[in-house]
Amino acid sequence: MHCARQVAPDIVWVGGNDKRLSMFEGVYAVPRGVSYNAYLLRDEKTVLFDTVDKAVAKVFYENVAHALAGRKLDYVVVHHMEPDHSATLDGLLEKYPEATLVCSRLTLAMTAQFFHKDLSGRALVVGEGDRLSLGNRELTFFMAPMVHWPEVMVTYESGDRALFSADAFGVFGAIDGALFADEVDFYGDYLDEARRYYCNIVGKYGPQTQALLKKMKALDIALVCPLHGFVHRRDFERYAACYDKWSRYEPEERGVMIACASIYGNTANAAETLSAKLRERGVRTVMFDVSVTPASEIVAAAFRFSHLVFASPTYNAGVFVTMEEVLRDIAAHNLQNRTIALIENGSWAPASGKLMRALLEPLKGTDFVGDVLTIKSSLRKEQETELDQLADAIADSVMGKAEEKTAEAPAAKKKFRCKVCGYIHEADELPADFKCPICGRGAEFFEEIE
Ligand code: FEO
């Protein structure tokens, strides 16, 4: 039986929910499941925006047939070729042989990679600002490279003023029949999952997300229809403001995220004692054990808070394994502008403080506060003064009493954008032999932006 919902009189949600998936992309736990959204628009022409993951293929095909109500399918717009949205594209195109595939040039190349078929004979390749008339309405296509893959685009539809936003503005969690964000307590119940989704899926690509937000500002948008989660028809500015902060790497809250690794509880004891002292100084803290809490939650919390404390034993002369994994994950997501304090433990050769610093120091705008607190096996009573000093230094920084580091921040690097795939490279200058890591084009294909 179909399970579809009207987004607007002529737009139908034809996606599906998967509550049995345990790890999205094989790495992100989704205890509340995930939705794969697709939308069917009926005008003089009919358009399907995206397909779905193979897990929900059956209901998707039923939904599409139901929404078409006997009409033929004219167009299939593919915003993103990742298989959570395109695994059923091949099957869909076989079921609807008259449908024209509408996509970016890079998407078309990826269809050949995924399906081992040449679909160019039935494809309409579109680029930035191209338009497609459907009769009474018009579609306009905008490229959104690296939000989340290089081939990504979004579509603005003129009739209902809907933006089909691809992965942008998605959220983890099945929607279970509640299509609109205002049908649930989105900011109470889903914002944490929206942050975890953004930071882990797209967080590395802040400048590219900023570029999309800038394009959106020029549009009159009433509906935002993402590929995961809820459709936004009210109060979208609030969600857009979150994206603006996250993609600028600006913290949402002044407070401290403490992440600790602990083998026998002694490093955790030091971290918890520091947390208690920060609380006594009026500082909000959250604390995670990196061996227990999934890395994706810690990455999201690191994006949320202004100050971060990492506490780790020294292990095999390195950083404890689960802590190293989290720190590399944070660095891979390009987190910036955070103030960091470190606690190290080592029974004979403590070194994790220096090693953690080396992993985090390259991140743009990173500042360190206080001296590294060194524990030898376990925190001693005589070290309380040292711990108080660290708590004072962190609290002063959180409260803004410490000197503002922004005054001494290095000048921002230039940004160069690949005119073919949209990849943005930040550097003082672009070397003549530079090659785009996404599409392989040379420096002559790059333009300086902003
Ligand atoms: Fe939801 Fe990047 O795929």
Side-chain angles (χ1 to χ4, degrees), residues 24 80 82 84-85 148 167 228:
F24 182 77
H80 184 16
E82 194 166 7
D84 54 333
H85 311 295
H148 150 222
D167 271 344
H228 301 285

Side-chain angles (χ1 to χ4, degrees), residues 51-192:
T51 59
V52 295
D53 189 88
K54 59 183 182 308
V56 295
K58 182 174 181 291
V59 74
F60 166 66
Y61 290 132
E62 287 173 347
N63 284 347
V64 172
H66 166 74
L68 281 170
R71 292 184 61 184
K72 82 178 174 71
L73 180 61
D74 294 301
Y75 297 110
V76 184
V77 175
V78 175
H79 292 112
H80 184 16
M81 263 308 287
E82 194 166 7
D84 54 333
H85 311 295
S86 71
T88 46
L89 175 62
D90 194 25
L92 187 282
L93 290 172
E94 282 181 13
K95 277 181 189 288
Y96 297 93
E98 292 173 315
T100 297
L101 171 66
V102 181
C103 63
S104 68
R105 188 168 302 285
L106 209 43
T107 291
L108 184 59
M110 286 187 182
T111 59
Q113 292 172 194
F114 278 105
F115 305 134
H116 305 164
K117 282 182 182 171
D118 179 6
L119 295 172
S120 56
R122 62 183 296 186
L124 173 64
V125 171
V126 293
E128 181 73 16
D130 285 352
R131 293 164 190 259
L132 177 63
S133 173
L134 304 177
N136 299 311
R137 305 154 185 256
E138 188 177 63
L139 304 180
T140 309
F141 306 101
F142 298 96
M143 300 300 115
M146 302 319 296
V147 189
H148 150 222
W149 279 15
E151 86 296 1
V152 170
M153 67 178 195
V154 301
T155 301
Y156 180 71
E157 180 275 316
S158 61
D160 287 293
R161 293 177 291 133
L163 182 79
F164 296 91
S165 64
D167 271 344
F169 308 108
V171 62
F172 289 135
I175 56 177
D176 296 340
L179 178 63
F180 297 99
D182 55 83
E183 292 178 321
V184 297
D185 182 1
F186 184 77
Y187 295 99
D189 291 341
Y190 288 89
L191 188 61
D192 284 348

